[in-house]
């Protein structure tokens, strides 16, 4: 079995039942998603891609916030895409939101959607579930044109929170194959030397989360 197939199978097993309760439960601890959406500010008509779109909750919010933006979403889990398609259909936004099953570490927008690139790409609490997360970052940056931006929000290092909280949170997250990417800032700084600029890197909520904006040169 290929790595992509194995990852898809794992995500399907995790979310086959969870997808039905995902949005109602995650709103309590996936902090910073709405701030990311507010900060996207795509240019008029600029294409926006979400990597790891899950139930399409974020894509629907982006569609309502930026009514001129064509939207795209990929996810490796066919189970999550069932919920995503139902969500999009239920909001009447299907003409503006296109979805596809794809691996974040190896995808081609021309093959999936017939488009060459995206003005904005965002990853919301998905990087911590991608084993080859550095490869996924490289893929995202590859499909941004000059001036395009990658926006990320995910679990942080919890460095300003009590040690017992950090240990308990990470133990619990590990049950769902979630691993906070403590090396994210260093990785983005290193990439900025060659491909662009790290415009923003913050650790809100006492380090509970990390929030980044990277612009292609």
């Amino acid at each position: 079995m290929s790595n992509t197939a194995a990852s898809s199978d794992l995500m399907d097993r995790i979310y086959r039942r969870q997808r039905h309760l995902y949005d109602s439960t995650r709103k309590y601890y996936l902090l910073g998603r709405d701030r990311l959406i507010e900060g996207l500010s795509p240019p008029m008509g600029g294409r926006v891609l979400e990597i790891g779109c899950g139930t399409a909750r974020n894509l629907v919010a982006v569609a309502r916030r930026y009514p001129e933006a064509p939207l795209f979403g990929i996810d490796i889990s066919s189970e999550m895409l069932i919920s995503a398609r139902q969500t999009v259909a239920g909001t009447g936004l299907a003409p503006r939101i296109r979805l596809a099953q794809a691996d974040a570490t190896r995808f081609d927008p021309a093959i999936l959607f017939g488009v060459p690139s995206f003005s904005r790409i965002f990853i919301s609490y998905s990087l911590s579930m991608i084993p080859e997360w550095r490869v996924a970052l490289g893929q995202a940056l590859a499909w941004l044109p000059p001036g395009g931006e990658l926006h990320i929000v995910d679990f942080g290092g919890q460095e300003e929170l009590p040690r017992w909280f950090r240990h308990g949170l990470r133990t619990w997250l590990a049950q769902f194959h979630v691993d906070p990417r403590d090396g994210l800032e260093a990785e983005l700084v290193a990439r900025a030397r060659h491909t662009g600029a790290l415009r923003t890197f913050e650790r809100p909520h006492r380090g509970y989360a990390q929030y980044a904006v990277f612009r292609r040169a």
Side-chain angles (χ1 to χ4, degrees), residues 35 152 159 185 199-204 207 209-213:
R35 179 195 173 185
I152 300 169
E159 57 275 357
E185 182 178 17
R199 295 186 59 212
T200 302
F201 196 95
E202 299 176 9
R203 295 179 173 84
Q210 50 188 336
Y211 171 70
V213 179

Side-chain angles (χ1 to χ4, degrees), residues 44-215:
M44 183 65 67
R47 292 181 292 268
V48 178
L49 170 71
E50 180 175 16
I51 294 176
C53 64
T55 64
R57 178 265 187 196
N58 294 330
L59 286 172
V60 168
V62 173
R64 290 171 172 163
R65 177 68 179 81
Y66 306 104
E68 301 299 322
L71 304 171
F72 304 83
I74 63 171
D75 203 289
I76 201 168
S77 168
S78 60
E79 291 288 334
M80 287 299 260
L81 285 170
I82 292 172
S83 288
R85 292 189 174 100
Q86 292 172 345
T87 298
V88 171
T91 59
L93 291 166
R96 290 187 50 214
I97 300 177
R98 298 173 61 187
L99 303 169
Q101 185 175 15
D103 186 336
T105 66
R106 48 183 68 84
F107 69 94
D108 186 332
I111 294 173
L112 293 175
F113 303 115
V115 301
S117 61
F118 306 94
S119 298
R120 299 289 185 270
I121 297 177
F122 69 100
I123 311 175
S124 172
Y125 286 93
S126 294
L127 206 61
S128 53
M129 297 193 74
I130 301 173
E132 295 179 283
W133 64 274
R134 290 181 174 86
V135 179
L137 280 180
Q139 275 285 286
L141 295 174
W143 301 120
L144 288 172
E149 293 179 356
L150 171 63
H151 294 238
I152 300 169
V153 66
D154 214 314
F155 293 106
Q158 302 92 43
E159 57 275 357
E160 295 182 28
L161 292 167
R163 188 173 299 176
W164 63 263
F165 180 91
R166 182 180 190 273
H167 176 75
L169 176 64
R170 292 191 173 220
T171 299
W172 179 71
L173 290 174
Q175 298 180 49
F176 304 99
H177 300 270
V178 176
D179 184 11
R181 303 310 182 191
D182 297 328
L184 177 60
E185 182 178 17
E187 182 68 20
L188 291 174
V189 167
R191 290 179 182 272
R193 299 189 186 105
H194 306 287
T195 59
L198 181 57
R199 295 186 59 212
T200 302
F201 196 95
E202 299 176 9
R203 295 179 173 84
H205 310 292
R206 299 177 65 188
Y208 178 91
Q210 50 188 336
Y211 171 70
V213 179
F214 188 103
R215 175 174 286 180

